[in-house]
Amino acid sequence: LLATGTKNGSVTFNGSTKTVTGTDQLQVIAQGNITYNGSANTRASFLSAGTFTYNGSSTLYGSIGAKGDITFNGKTTVIWASIRPFNQAPTDLVLSPASLAENVLGSSVVGTLSTTDPNPGNTFTYSLVSGTGATDNAVFTIVGNQLKINASPDFEAKSSYSIRVKTTDQDGLSYEKLLTVSITDVNEAPTSLVLSNSITPENVASGSVIGTFTSTDPDANNTFTYSLVTGTGSTDNTAFSIVGNQLKINASPDFEAKSSYSIRVRTTDQ
């Protein structure tokens, strides 16, 4: 077999050869174009980063891969061939959706990973990798093409996570990208209610303010309304009124007649 070419360039085959058994299969890989001018049957695998041109009237047993055009001239016969484009690395990686509501269960799916690749039909695997942006990799797990969060997130504690993901095609070509996962706020119920003062002297005037209500809530800047409600401890609700966030006594209290009152109050956010 006569061949001409340069290192990392194109390759041209002239003359003739006959390689039709598995033990003498020819493998040709070129960074440039491949031109085959052989006149005898050939068992070969050609992989070109450029174009592939097959001239003559011989029979090819094998496979052809090219990034550019594949051209057959003459009466060429291809047997058991796999003719496919030159495989290229993925070019982009997307997570959709890329946000998750706080308080979801651990192992909940954040979103689905997908890859942009020049080669149709490629398949991909995904992995969390170290590097720029991999700060929060340990918070997540990838199962197939799904990104899952390991533990229930809390918006108030952390509202954004940075991860680094690699997509790898079936030939080992890969692409890495920094992705951001956002946690969205969910309005949460108040967790506590306090009356600023729970003691008042007897004989104060009716309508006197006993104290002021405040609420504890996971969500900052919430506003609250207060009301007297029935239930455990609401025995003396009728002795009081709530105006805004103030608790007022309806009638002047008498220590000798009653020294303690029990009420039940509800706080409701906006």
Side-chain angles (χ1 to χ4, degrees):
L1 178 67
L2 300 178
T4 61
T6 60
K7 182 179 181 181
N8 298 326
S10 300
V11 178
T12 300
F13 291 95
N14 299 304
S16 63
T17 186
K18 187 172 184 179
T19 59
V20 294
T21 67
T23 58
D24 59 4
Q25 179 171 330
L26 180 69
Q27 184 175 27
V28 182
I29 300 174
Q31 293 296 320
N33 302 325
I34 296 178
T35 301
Y36 184 76
N37 298 320
S39 58
N41 296 345
T42 300
R43 179 185 294 274
S45 172
F46 296 99
L47 187 60
S48 169
T51 62
F52 176 86
T53 303
Y54 198 107
N55 298 318
S57 58
S58 58
T59 298
L60 169 65
Y61 301 80
S63 64
I64 300 169
K67 187 173 182 179
D69 294 335
I70 296 174
T71 304
F72 292 95
N73 297 318
K75 297 180 179 180
T76 301
T77 302
V78 181
I79 300 177
W80 300 331
S82 171
I83 302 175
R84 62 185 179 87
F86 189 88
N87 191 28
Q88 301 174 70
T91 58
D92 197 12
L93 169 64
V94 174
L95 173 65
S96 180
S99 63
L100 187 69
E102 67 171 330
N103 302 328
V104 298
L105 296 176
S107 296
S108 291
V109 174
V110 177
T112 301
L113 296 160
S114 60
T115 300
T116 301
D117 191 287
N119 305 100
N122 274 9
T123 58
F124 306 94
T125 56
Y126 301 92
S127 57
L128 292 158
V129 293
S130 59
T132 303
T135 311
D136 301 309
N137 278 14
V139 178
F140 299 89
T141 300
I142 294 176
V143 179
N145 65 342
Q146 292 184 325
L147 180 71
K148 295 185 176 185
I149 193 163
N150 296 332
S152 180
D154 180 3
F155 174 85
E156 286 72 29
K158 189 173 178 67
S159 61
S160 179
Y161 294 86
S162 177
I163 60 175
R164 188 175 185 86
V165 179
K166 176 193 283 186
T167 175
T168 306
D169 71 14
Q170 71 280 355
D171 289 338
L173 300 179
S174 65
Y175 174 84
E176 297 181 13
K177 187 176 182 180
L178 184 159
L179 299 174
T180 300
V181 177
S182 299
I183 305 301
T184 57
D185 192 17
V186 173
N187 188 31
E188 298 167 274
T191 57
S192 183
L193 169 64
V194 174
L195 179 62
S196 63
N197 177 56
S198 59
I199 300 174
T200 188
E202 67 173 334
N203 302 325
V204 297
S206 60
S208 292
V209 174
I210 304 298
T212 301
F213 291 112
T214 56
S215 297
T216 301
D217 193 292
D219 303 294
N221 302 317
N222 273 7
T223 58
F224 306 93
T225 57
Y226 301 93
S227 57
L228 292 157
V229 293
T230 58
T232 303
S234 64
T235 311
D236 301 310
N237 278 14
T238 56
F240 298 87
S241 299
I242 294 177
V243 179
N245 67 338
Q246 292 182 328
L247 180 69
K248 295 184 176 184
I249 194 163
N250 294 333
S252 179
D254 179 1
F255 176 84
E256 286 72 26
K258 189 173 179 66
S259 62
S260 177
Y261 295 83
S262 176
I263 61 174
R264 186 177 184 88
V265 179
R266 173 187 291 160
T267 177
T268 305
D269 70 14
Q270 74 284 0

